């Protein structure tokens, strides 16, 4: 029987097999913890067996989707792992979606079974869902099987999970990721020290952002501390109590944590490795984290679909905080123009990437998969990131914003990120966003929205607008500026610009 170390040094292994190896070798170490307690690797392995055997008992065949709609918990993670052990495809869905959208995603992936917590069981009660529903709690306990599951051979190309994108219309697209992709994800983290990690998990388990830290933690035998709902003060309290070593946080979470008046009273000296991804991370915020929070800070840039990823070791490169770093080993990024041709060095273009961590495709959507791909002259497959960027002279990628958010005003290209950086630099501004709004004169015109800084004393919006426009080029100037209490964000902190535009349209 292979050891965990042998598996991690091999070309391919599975996460369920690693969990079993950790149960044999470090069974008493905590694997998962939530608000209700902790479970060690030996108990987790038994629980994963119970889930896998129950799925097999109920006729859920390998390759079928197993859906989960709940907040993060030990039971949630156990079902996810049990589905994998049974050869099924873990399919975590966003509880923040509407009940109708959740029902549509369950139908789209054809899941024969869906696991829900109490809140989501009530929300989905009136939806036409053909899948069997199992609610966490006593019913889930009764559903579990007693004996071990039958062994299932898992191949590298088999589907590991389906992650649904936050689609703007209709049913979100299901992004299929293979066991080989997830294996590369786990194995490449040898240097991150996950073997003795205590990782804070403060984003939802349906997000690829979360899996980026949870899967290596469990794969290497560390401990994942799950937060059902993020709260900045609670995060610091738990991190101090558990002597946390690792965390993956989205930028808005860093912002809320660093803004706490009593941040400096918490003992965070145990931290070794902090990461961020999923949304723009302001250089000033990175600098504040570097100055006041112990441990390495690394920003990752990438996408759920795979493509390629960049990494910025902010600790080692404090002069590159305006970038998202350089492509990771084995990852390749190219920049192309609107006609699909590569742009000259130093020129801005659309980001396309390829790596060992690319999606298989969108579930049941061949045309959408083809639209997301770009091929070079040699036929190599790349994934379109949808971002605009350029490389500096040292090979660090500077992002200019989403291609779809580009504002074309009077024939000039305006990049919202440029305007947002200037607006956010005003001392009375905590957060800022800029979107293009229809204009009879210019086609589109940039409009800004801001959240006031906590210590701002009755901020003067007109004065902030004048201050910002005085620092922008003539073609960049904001046509209007509005103050809001909060920017609309997804569960992982991305500003929802379509929602922002709709709000501005309603205000017009």
């Amino acid at each position: 029987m292979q050891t965990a170390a042998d598996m991690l040094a091999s070309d391919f292994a599975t996460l369920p097999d690693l969990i079993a190896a950790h149960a044999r070798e470090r069974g008493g170490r905590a694997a998962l913890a939530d608000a209700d307690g902790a479970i060690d690797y030996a108990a987790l392995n038994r629980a994963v067996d119970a889930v896998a055997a129950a799925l097999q008992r109920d006729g859920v065949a390998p390759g079928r989707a197993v859906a989960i709609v709940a907040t993060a918990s030990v039971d949630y993670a156990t079902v996810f792992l049990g589905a994998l052990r049974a050869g099924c495809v873990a399919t975590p869905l966003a509880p923040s979606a509407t009940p109708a959208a959740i029902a549509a995603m369950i139908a789209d992936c054809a899941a024969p079974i869906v696991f829900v917590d109490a809140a989501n069981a009530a929300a989905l009660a009136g939806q036409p869902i053909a899948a069997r529903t199992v609610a966490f709690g006593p019913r889930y306990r009764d559903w579990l099987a007693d004996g071990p599951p039958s062994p299932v051979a898992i191949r590298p190309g088999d589907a590991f999970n389906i992650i649904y994108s936050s689609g703007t219309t209709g049913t979100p697209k299901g992004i299929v990721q293979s066991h080989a992709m997830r294996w590369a994800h786990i194995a490449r983290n040898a240097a991150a020290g996950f073997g003795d990690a205590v990782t804070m998990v403060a984003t939802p388990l349906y997000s690829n952002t979360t899996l980026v830290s949870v899967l290596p933690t469990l794969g290497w035998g560390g401990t994942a501390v799950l937060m059902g709902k993020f709260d900045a003060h609670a995060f610091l309290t738990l991190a101090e109590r558990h002597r946390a070593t690792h965390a993956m946080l989205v930028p808005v979470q860093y912002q809320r944590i660093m803004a706490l008046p009593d941040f400096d009273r918490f003992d965070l000296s145990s931290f070794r490795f902090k990461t961020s991804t999923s949304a723009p991370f302001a250089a000033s915020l990175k600098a504040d984290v570097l100055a006041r929070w112990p441990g390495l800070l690394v920003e990752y840039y990438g996408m759920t679909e795979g493509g390629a990823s960049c990494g910025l070791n902010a600790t080692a490169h404090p002069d590159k905080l305006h970038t998202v770093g350089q492509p990771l080993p084995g990852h390749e990024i190219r920049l192309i123009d609107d006609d699909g041709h590569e742009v000259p060095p130093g020129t801005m273009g659309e980001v396309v990437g390829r790596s060992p961590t690319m999606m298989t495709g969108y579930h049941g959507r061949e045309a959408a998969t083809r639209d997301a791909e770009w091929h070079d002259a040699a036929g190599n497959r790349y994934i379109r990131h949808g971002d605009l960027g350029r490389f500096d002279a040292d090979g660090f990628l500077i992002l200019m914003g989403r291609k779809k958010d580009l504002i074309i005003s009077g024939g000039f290209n305006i990049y919202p990120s440029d305007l947002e950086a200037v607006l956010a630099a005003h001392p009375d501004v905590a957060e800022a966003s800029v979107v293009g709004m229809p204009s009879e004169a210019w086609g589109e015109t940039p409009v800004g929205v801001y959240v006031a800084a906590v210590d701002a004393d009755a901020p003067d919006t007109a004065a902030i607008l004048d201050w910002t426009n005085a620092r922008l080029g003539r073609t960049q100037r904001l046509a209007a500026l509005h103050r809001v209490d909060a920017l609309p964000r997804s569960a992982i902190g991305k500003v929802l610009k379509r929602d922002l535009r709709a709000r501005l349209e309603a205000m017009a």
Side-chain angles (χ1 to χ4, degrees), residues 34-340:
D34 62 14
D36 295 324
I39 184 172
D40 62 27
Y41 274 96
L44 175 61
N45 192 55
R46 292 192 296 270
V48 169
D49 267 354
V51 171
L55 290 171
Q56 292 177 343
R57 178 201 63 211
D58 290 356
V60 183
R64 298 296 302 275
V66 173
I68 314 169
V69 191
T71 56
S73 68
V74 168
D75 284 343
Y76 186 132
T78 301
V79 168
F80 191 110
L81 295 166
L84 298 177
R85 184 163 286 175
C88 300
V89 186
T91 308
L93 305 177
S96 57
T98 65
I102 294 171
M105 288 185 277
I106 293 170
D108 183 71
C109 68
I113 190 167
V114 55
F115 295 84
V116 297
D117 56 15
N120 288 286
L124 295 174
Q127 295 297 318
I129 296 174
R132 176 182 180 180
T133 300
V134 177
F136 288 123
R139 185 179 172 193
Y140 167 69
R141 303 292 174 203
D142 292 341
W143 173 83
L144 293 169
D146 290 331
S150 300
V152 175
I154 296 173
R155 298 164 297 184
D158 291 344
F160 180 104
N161 60 252
I162 301 175
I163 302 289
Y164 277 86
S165 65
S166 53
T168 56
T169 58
T171 303
K173 297 186 290 291
I175 300 165
V176 181
Q177 296 165 321
S178 69
H179 277 268
M181 177 268 191
R182 288 302 189 189
W183 174 247
H185 189 171
I186 292 169
R188 77 181 187 202
N189 274 288
F194 279 108
D196 61 347
V198 176
T199 302
M200 294 296 299
V201 182
T203 48
L205 283 171
Y206 64 79
S207 166
N208 190 64
T209 293
T210 311
L211 299 180
V212 163
S213 60
V214 171
L215 299 184
T217 298
L218 296 176
W220 286 86
T223 303
V225 180
L226 308 174
M227 293 186 72
K229 181 180 179 180
F230 174 75
D231 173 84
H233 203 274
F235 175 91
L236 293 177
T237 301
L238 283 171
E240 184 177 61
R241 180 189 310 159
H242 287 279
R243 302 297 295 160
T245 61
H246 291 59
M248 166 69 85
L249 294 165
V250 296
V252 69
Q253 291 174 323
Y254 277 109
Q255 182 185 57
R256 291 172 183 172
I257 289 170
M258 303 308 294
L260 289 174
D262 59 345
F263 170 83
D264 294 316
R265 80 168 179 82
F266 288 92
D267 179 6
L268 304 179
S269 59
S270 57
F271 271 96
R272 304 197 306 263
F273 197 68
K274 304 180 303 301
T275 54
S276 186
T277 190
S278 295
F281 196 172
S284 58
L285 181 56
K286 293 177 198 173
D288 190 24
V289 175
L290 287 175
R292 297 198 288 146
W293 193 335
L296 196 70
L297 175 63
V298 176
E299 179 183 13
Y300 289 114
Y301 161 70
M303 58 192 301
T304 303
E305 285 88 338
S309 295
C310 287
L312 171 66
N313 183 334
T315 308
H317 298 283
D319 59 328
K320 298 290 187 179
L321 302 187
H322 61 292
T323 79
V324 293
Q326 299 169 303
L328 297 175
H331 291 236
E332 182 183 351
I333 285 179
R334 299 191 186 185
L335 304 178
I336 61 173
D337 62 21
D338 290 341
D339 296 322

Side-chain angles (χ1 to χ4, degrees), residues 387-408:
D387 292 312
L388 296 170
R390 65 177 178 84
F391 285 103
D392 71 10
D394 299 314
F396 286 73
L397 181 63
I398 302 169
L399 294 181
M400 308 300 292
R402 299 290 291 169
K403 185 178 181 181
K404 67 181 180 181
D405 292 330
L406 173 69
I407 301 168
I408 303 177

Side-chain angles (χ1 to χ4, degrees), residues 390-462:
R390 65 177 178 84
F391 285 103
D392 71 10
D394 299 314
F396 286 73
L397 181 63
I398 302 169
L399 294 181
M400 308 300 292
R402 299 290 291 169
K403 185 178 181 181
K404 67 181 180 181
D405 292 330
L406 173 69
I407 301 168
I408 303 177
S409 182
F412 291 95
N413 290 346
I414 298 174
Y415 303 99
S417 60
D418 291 342
L419 283 61
E420 289 162 353
V422 174
L423 178 54
H426 191 283
D428 288 343
V429 174
E431 299 178 77
S433 187
V434 173
V435 297
M437 298 298 292
S439 166
E440 288 187 10
W442 306 107
E444 282 187 300
T445 190
V447 174
V449 175
Y450 78 99
V451 177
V454 174
D455 56 354
D457 184 17
D460 184 336
T461 298

